[in-house]
C-alpha cells in the first residue's frame, strides 16, 4: 500500500475515480454526490488530495476543501476500489487526509457528512464527534455539493439542518499537528 499527496500527473486517474463514485452510489443505494472530473483535477493540482496505490494499481482517493476562509475544512470523496475493500485501505486514506488537513490548515475545524457506518467509525477513531448540521459550515458552496445526491430534497426541506447523513466534526485545535505548525512558523522567523 502506497499513499501520497496527489499531483497534476494523477489527472490520468480521474475518469476511473468518477466511475467508482457512480458505481458506489448505485451499489449502496445511498446518496453520494457526483464528482466533477475537473474539480478532482484541481484538487490534485493544489495538493489537496490523497491518492493510494497497491502494486502500482489505483486503489483509493480522498480530497479536502476549505470553507469560510479556511475556518472549516472537509475531508470528502473517500473512495476505495471495490476489489480492495476490507483491507484497511479506507482507514489508511482517512488517516492520511486527516494529517494533510491538520498540517495545511491547523486552525480549521475538520468536518464531514456521511451515511457510511465505516467512515463514521474511522472519524470517531480520529477524534471527530457527531454534530447537528448547524455546527458545520454554512457556506452555500459546500451545501451546493449535495445537489446531485438523491436525498437533496430532504436536506432542503429541512433548511439544511438535517438529512440522512450524519455530520461529524474534529475541533480539537490544540493537538500535536497544531503544535508542529507553530514550531515550523517559529523556526521560519
Amino acid at each position: 500500500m502506497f499513499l501520497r499527496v496527489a499531483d497534476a500527473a494523477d489527472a490520468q486517474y480521474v475518469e476511473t475515480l468518477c466511475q467508482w463514485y457512480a458505481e458506489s452510489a448505485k451499489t449502496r443505494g445511498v446518496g453520494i454526490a457526483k464528482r466533477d472530473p475537473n474539480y478532482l483535477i484541481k484538487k490534485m493540482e493544489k495538493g489537496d488530495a490523497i491518492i493510494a496505490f497497491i502494486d502500482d494499481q489505483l486503489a483509493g482517493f480522498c480530497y479536502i476543501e476549505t470553507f469560510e476562509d479556511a475556518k472549516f475544512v472537509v475531508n470528502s470523496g473517500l473512495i476505495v476500489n471495490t476489489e480492495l475493500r476490507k483491507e484497511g485501505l479506507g482507514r489508511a486514506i482517512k488517516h492520511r487526509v486527516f494529517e494533510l488537513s491538520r498540517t495545511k490548515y491547523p486552525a480549521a475545524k475538520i468536518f464531514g457528512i456521511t451515511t457510511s457506518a465505516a467512515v463514521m467509525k474511522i472519524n470517531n477513531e480520529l477524534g471527530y464527534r457527531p454534530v447537528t448540521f448547524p455546527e458545520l459550515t454554512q457556506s452555500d458552496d459546500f451545501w451546493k455539493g449535495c445537489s446531485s445526491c438523491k436525498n437533496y430534497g430532504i436536506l432542503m426541506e429541512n433548511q439544511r439542518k438535517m438529512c440522512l447523513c450524519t455530520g461529524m466534526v474534529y475541533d480539537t485545535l490544540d493537538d500535536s499537528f497544531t503544535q508542529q505548525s507553530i514550531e515550523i512558523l517559529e523556526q521560519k522567523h
Side-chain angles (χ1 to χ4, degrees), residues 26-44:
K26 186 176 179 181
T27 301
R28 290 176 40 212
V30 295
I32 296 177
K34 293 177 185 166
R35 301 313 198 278
D36 178 89
N38 293 321
Y39 180 78
L40 296 182
I41 289 169
K42 287 178 185 170
K43 296 282 109 195
M44 293 171 175

Side-chain angles (χ1 to χ4, degrees), residues 131-161:
V131 296
T132 60
F133 281 16
E135 294 179 65
L136 305 175
T137 183
Q138 295 307 301
S139 169
D140 291 336
D141 286 338
F142 172 75
W143 296 104
K144 186 173 26 175
C146 295
S147 64
S148 64
C149 174
K150 74 176 193 172
N151 299 316
Y152 187 65
I154 296 168
L155 177 70
M156 296 313 290
E157 284 173 21
N158 291 294
Q159 295 146 350
R160 297 191 323 205
K161 293 182 180 163

